[in-house]
Amino acid sequence: SGRLLGEGSLAEILDRGQPVSIAEASWGLVDGSAPMTAVPGIRRVDPDDFLVVLEPGASASELQPAAAAWDVVLDLGDVAVVGQVAMPEGGEPGDLLADEGSRFIAIAGAYLTTGGRALTPEPADAFVNRSRVRTVRSASPASRRRGWRAFRCGTGTPRSSR
């Protein structure tokens, strides 16, 4: 964890593809089994090294105007992100991996999960490194509240048509 420093929105900073200045850096195991440890020597990080960047209090949904919002699960291996993504008319969650418009996928109201349990106590907007996503699935609308119950991509319906 830490604070990213730079001019512009978080999405713009990450999508530049240049090393990002960071302050108050710390790290630990993703499952939270050990406390975070300060790493004051880290001053810059390549955006490709990030799996997920959380931005509490932001609004990722405003970054991508769209006709439909989908509840999705993005599988990153040991962790997953459950939240809502804005899709253009006719788009489906699986299209997120094909879109090369940005390096990061904006997810609104996201929870970071592992092994079926939430690692984040409250939802936050997230920017997920597109190159690190293994699979994308549409999810039941209640997935963000209940945890990990997800469905295969294409079996859900856009949130605006429910």
Side-chain angles (χ1 to χ4, degrees), residues 70-128:
W70 287 74
D71 291 306
V72 294
V73 176
L74 282 71
D75 176 17
L76 302 166
D78 291 337
V79 297
V81 177
V82 180
Q84 196 173 83
V85 66
M87 296 295 301
E89 187 68 38
E92 293 191 10
D95 299 341
L96 291 170
L97 297 180
D99 178 15
E100 296 183 19
S102 64
R103 300 165 86 98
F104 287 80
I105 301 168
I107 305 293
Y111 286 95
L112 188 61
T113 67
T114 187
R117 67 181 175 89
L119 296 173
T120 48
E122 298 292 325
D125 286 345
F127 296 88
V128 180

Side-chain angles (χ1 to χ4, degrees), residues 55-69:
E55 187 175 29
S59 184
S61 58
E62 291 178 12
L63 297 175
Q64 297 177 326

